């Protein structure tokens, strides 16, 4: 049975004090054990603090990005071993904001994926089409190419470390969500593409999260779809009550 996961991507929000407040609220609000694995991704400066505060709880901590090199002259960057040294075993890679504002390409992401795998990290790999792609009905081929370029060269064993997050760019932070039917249609396509490239068991086992304006009001309907295994939540993850409501919608 594949895992259900609800992950909060806090993006560039919450300083140390605010992180402390949100974490303590989450610890009380999410007290009952959930069917889903719960992950939060604060910014780099607060990862160690978050990891220490959440030790022994059911909430795991992820980084939002990392550099592909092991170490060296890369001013401002963070390596996999730095993340691991502060307890972080999960990293989000390929977020559309990284692709759009920081020029991250599929080729670069392949390098990052390989480095994360070398360190036995779990990768939440994000991808998704832009509005133009959907309007011109290229969304399936765009998604297939993103997956192929960054993930299809990996060996089958690597897939145990991979979680997919389909995030249509037009639905991120816009208040416009993919309909549950659109999400299901794409997730089923992703699964069948993986089955063709690898095999049925990898396709069946990989968790595919949906991301893009998930809110307490729409989470249940989206998560009810058979190929949607949870969500990657932006704005609604910054408030403990709304994040908890989304977790409870699984
Ligand atoms: P929103 O939930 O704010 O649309 O963001 C989604 C997202 O980008 C999660 O990574």
């Amino acid at each position: 049975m594949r895992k259900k996961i609800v992950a909060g991507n806090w993006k560039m929000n919450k300083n140390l004090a605010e992180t402390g407040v949100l974490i303590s609220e989450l610890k009380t609000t999410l007290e009952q054990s959930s069917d889903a694995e719960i992950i939060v991704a604060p910014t780099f400066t607060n990862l160690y603090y978050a990891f220490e505060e959440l030790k022994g709880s059911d909430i795991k901590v992820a980084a939002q990005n990392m550099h592909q090199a092991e170490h060296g002259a890369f001013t401002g960057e963070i390596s996999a071993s730095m993340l691991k040294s502060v307890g972080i075993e999960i990293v989000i890679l390929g977020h559309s904001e990284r692709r759009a504002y920081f020029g991250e390409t599929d080729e670069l992401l392949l390098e990052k994926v390989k480095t994360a795998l070398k360190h036995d990290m779990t990768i939440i790999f994000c991808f998704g089409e832009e509005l133009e792609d959907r309007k011109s009905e290229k969304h399936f081929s765009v998604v297939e190419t993103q997956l192929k370029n960054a993930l299809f060269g990996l060996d089958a064993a690597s897939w145990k470390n991979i979680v997919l997050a389909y995030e249509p760019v037009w639905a991120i932070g816009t208040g416009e969500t993919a309909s549950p039917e659109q999400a299901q249609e794409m997730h089923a396509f992703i699964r069948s593409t993986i089955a063709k490239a690898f095999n049925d068991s990898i396709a069946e086992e990989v968790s595919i999260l949906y991301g893009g304006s998930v809110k307490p009001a729409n989470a249940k309907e989206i998560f009810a779809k058979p190929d949607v295994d949870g969500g990657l939540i932006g704005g609604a993850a910054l408030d403990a009550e709304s994040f908890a409501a989304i977790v409870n919608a699984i």
Side-chain angles (χ1 to χ4, degrees):
M1 263 278 280
R2 55 184 179 254
K3 257 191 242 169
K4 302 267 186 198
I5 300 169
V6 179
N9 175 8
W10 295 2
K11 308 191 180 182
M12 197 173 74
N13 295 293
K14 307 283 180 194
N15 62 23
L16 182 60
E18 292 160 346
T19 296
V21 172
L22 182 51
I23 284 178
S24 68
E25 287 173 356
L26 287 174
K27 281 203 280 193
T28 32
T29 329
L30 292 169
E31 165 174 68
Q32 295 120 341
S33 68
S34 150
D35 289 345
E37 181 169 308
I38 303 164
I39 300 171
V40 293
T43 193
F44 284 130
T45 52
N46 300 329
L47 284 176
Y48 181 55
Y49 170 80
F51 174 76
E52 287 293 318
E53 286 296 307
L54 289 167
K55 245 185 208 166
S57 79
D58 286 338
I59 308 170
K60 296 186 176 171
V61 182
Q64 299 174 18
N65 179 33
M66 56 163 247
H67 196 268
Q68 64 278 17
E70 292 297 333
H71 55 82
F74 300 102
T75 302
E77 292 294 328
I78 308 278
S79 71
S81 69
M82 288 169 185
L83 294 176
K84 292 218 45 177
S85 73
V86 295
I88 306 304
E89 307 271 347
I90 308 169
V91 62
I92 298 173
L93 292 177
H95 193 280
S96 66
E97 287 148 17
R98 301 286 325 162
R99 294 175 189 257
Y101 308 142
F102 303 97
E104 296 201 357
T105 59
D106 292 349
E107 292 67 34
L108 172 74
L109 290 169
L110 172 59
E111 294 309 308
K112 292 193 177 202
V113 165
K114 282 188 192 159
T115 303
L117 289 172
K118 201 164 137 202
H119 289 265
D120 198 25
M121 297 181 79
T122 294
I123 298 158
I124 301 178
F125 186 81
C126 305
F127 56 96
E129 82 282 1
E130 299 194 25
L131 186 58
E132 286 312 305
D133 304 321
R134 187 159 277 264
K135 279 190 183 155
S136 55
E137 297 189 4
K138 290 202 190 100
H139 45 297
F140 292 117
S141 70
V142 165
V143 160
E144 185 171 6
T145 303
Q146 287 172 327
L147 290 173
K148 194 166 139 197
N149 289 345
L151 301 179
F152 284 5
L154 302 177
D155 57 24
S158 302
W159 281 84
K160 70 172 185 358
N161 288 50
I162 291 175
V163 171
L164 298 177
Y166 168 60
E167 300 204 307
V169 179
W170 48 271
I172 296 179
T174 57
E176 187 167 344
T177 345
S179 67
E181 291 69 32
Q182 283 173 320
Q184 168 58 26
E185 184 187 34
M186 182 58 89
H187 284 220
F189 170 77
I190 293 163
R191 220 178 282 290
S192 73
T193 306
I194 295 168
K196 273 187 231 143
F198 290 89
N199 57 52
D200 285 346
S201 102
I202 288 178
E204 275 309 306
E205 283 305 307
V206 68
S207 300
I208 310 178
L209 315 184
Y210 169 80
S213 298
V214 177
K215 305 274 180 269
N218 59 22
K220 210 173 181 71
E221 261 191 309
I222 297 172
F223 295 165
K225 293 295 179 191
D227 285 296
V228 178
D229 306 310
L232 182 56
I233 320 302
L238 299 173
D239 174 82
E241 257 181 51
S242 74
F243 188 63
I246 293 169
V247 170
N248 291 334
I250 278 278

